[in-house]
């Protein structure tokens, strides 16, 4: 059984397409999370140069079609989280690869990065928004999150993994586990931004805050480390983000 969440990957203000792609793919392929890169697989791209290849495809798209970047979506990601102790890292990567190949119909380059640094094994599946022939773009659609979940369930069933056969339509546990809601919470966005900032190996809090500023976050002065963002109605304290994101944890990484 795997929980799925669809994430659209946008261009961050003040950064190039290549920089944004590098931030996301570097985090996904982090050797500390993927057994030194052993749990990274790819389709029609080289993991070592995936950011450059994705960026190049967008320049080729403009050359071929004459159309500029339509919107600011540069790639898509599905986070696929598995039930603890039910699957090996290698099988999780194989499941993620099969899902990506079938969902994109083999028309988009992608990487599958299996993270094993948490209790639950999970995949970061990232595919290029531009097709392999650089003539079209992937278009998300109404109900895409449900289709992602259903295809993931089908593949999990094929691999002998458990699935929820009769989910309650409004069941809280089902929605949270299988990812029926495609929208990330503000805390999820902040966690990802912190992960990307720390992946850049900042040598000081100033460098850490500067990296978060690129994602639109502002430090709120006060007793506890707190961040604001234009999309947030309320400020968020890092100590509310869960294990691994306390001020002490962040300080230790820096």
């Amino acid at each position: 059984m795997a929980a799925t969440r669809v994430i659209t990957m946008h261009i961050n203000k003040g950064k190039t397409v290549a920089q944004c792609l590098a931030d996301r793919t570097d985090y996904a392929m982090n050797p500390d999370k993927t057994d030194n890169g052993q749990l990274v697989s790819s389709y029609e791209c080289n993991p070592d140069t995936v950011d450059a290849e994705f960026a190049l495809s967008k320049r080729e798209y403009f050359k071929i079609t004459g159309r500029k970047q339509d919107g600011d979506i540069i790639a898509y990601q599905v986070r696929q989280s598995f039930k603890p102790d039910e699957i090996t890292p290698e099988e999780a990567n194989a499941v993620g690869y099969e899902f990506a190949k079938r969902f994109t119909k083999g028309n988009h380059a992608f990487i599958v990065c299996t993270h094993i640094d948490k209790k639950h094994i999970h995949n970061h599946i990232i595919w290029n928004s531009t097709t392999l022939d650089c003539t079209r773009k992937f278009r998300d659609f109404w109900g895409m999150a449900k289709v992602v979940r259903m295809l993931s369930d089908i593949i999990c069933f094929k691999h002998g993994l458990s699935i929820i056969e009769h989910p309650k339509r409004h069941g809280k546990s089902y929605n949270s586990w299988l990812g029926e809601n495609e929208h990330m919470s503000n805390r999820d966005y902040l966690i990802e931004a912190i992960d990307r900032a720390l992946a850049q190996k900042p040598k000081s809090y100033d460098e850490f805050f500067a990296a978060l500023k690129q994602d639109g976050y502002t430090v709120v002065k006060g007793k506890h480390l707190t961040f604001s963002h234009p999309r947030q109605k309320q400020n968020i304290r890092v100590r509310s983000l869960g294990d691994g994101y306390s001020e002490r944890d962040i300080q230790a990484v820096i």
Side-chain angles (χ1 to χ4, degrees):
M1 178 168 62
T4 54
R5 170 171 285 164
V6 180
I7 304 168
T8 54
M9 303 173 72
H10 298 263
I11 301 173
N12 294 118
K13 186 177 180 180
K15 287 193 174 184
T16 65
V17 170
Q19 288 171 331
C20 293
L21 287 167
D23 287 346
R24 274 42 174 265
T25 55
D26 285 352
Y27 170 73
M29 295 188 294
N30 186 334
D32 294 333
K33 300 173 182 289
T34 59
D35 191 18
N36 290 317
Q38 295 300 307
L39 297 172
V40 176
S41 58
S42 63
Y43 172 74
E44 293 295 333
C45 61
N46 185 327
D48 292 334
T49 56
V50 61
D51 53 333
E53 291 180 47
F54 281 20
L56 177 62
S57 74
K58 299 179 191 316
R59 293 194 290 273
E60 289 298 311
Y61 172 81
F62 176 71
K63 282 184 183 179
I64 293 171
T65 68
R67 295 192 293 268
K68 293 184 178 181
Q69 173 83 19
D70 184 15
D72 64 347
I73 298 175
I74 53 178
Y76 291 83
Q77 178 180 174
V78 165
R79 198 181 326 176
Q80 187 181 41
S81 303
F82 298 92
K83 187 176 181 180
D85 304 319
E86 189 177 59
I87 193 171
T88 66
E90 293 75 17
E91 187 177 16
N93 192 268
V95 167
Y97 189 96
E98 182 177 348
F99 165 83
K101 185 72 177 295
R102 290 177 64 174
F103 187 74
T104 65
K105 296 182 171 63
N107 293 324
H108 296 260
F110 63 77
I111 57 172
V112 180
C113 308
T114 305
H115 286 195
I116 55 175
D117 58 318
K118 305 291 185 183
K119 184 177 180 180
H120 63 283
I121 294 171
H122 59 282
N123 288 327
H124 288 264
I125 304 166
I126 300 175
W127 70 89
N128 193 357
S129 62
T130 307
T131 55
L132 290 171
D133 62 7
C134 302
T135 63
R136 291 170 292 120
K137 293 291 186 70
F138 182 91
R139 305 291 182 186
D140 54 3
F141 51 90
W142 180 258
M144 179 170 140
K146 184 176 182 179
V147 173
V148 165
R149 185 195 74 217
M150 291 175 65
L151 177 58
S152 178
D153 278 356
I154 289 169
I155 296 172
C156 284
F157 183 78
K158 171 186 171 182
H159 283 258
L161 304 175
S162 60
I163 62 171
I164 296 178
E165 296 182 5
H166 303 289
K168 294 180 180 179
R169 185 174 181 182
H170 300 293
K172 181 178 179 181
S173 61
Y174 178 73
N175 288 342
S176 61
W177 178 242
L178 283 186
E180 186 166 11
N181 183 357
E182 62 183 296
H183 299 293
M184 292 175 64
S185 70
N186 286 324
R187 282 181 169 76
D188 289 331
Y189 278 116
L190 178 54
I191 286 172
E192 288 218 331
I194 290 174
D195 286 342
R196 286 194 297 272
L198 292 177
Q200 296 178 37
K201 299 181 179 179
K203 298 179 181 178
S204 66
Y205 265 115
D206 286 341
E207 290 185 12
F208 173 65
F209 295 150
L212 283 169
K213 188 176 181 180
Q214 294 293 325
D215 274 328
Y217 287 94
T218 303
V219 180
V220 180
K221 293 183 178 180
K223 183 177 179 181
H224 301 286
L225 184 57
T226 304
F227 290 98
S228 66
H229 193 282
R231 78 165 66 89
Q232 297 171 194
K233 292 183 178 180
Q234 295 181 327
N235 298 332
I236 299 177
R237 293 179 178 178
V238 294
R239 69 177 187 175
S240 70
L241 299 178
D243 293 342
Y245 295 93
S246 68
E247 294 178 46
R248 180 176 294 180
D249 293 325
I250 293 172
Q251 185 179 21
V253 175
I254 295 174

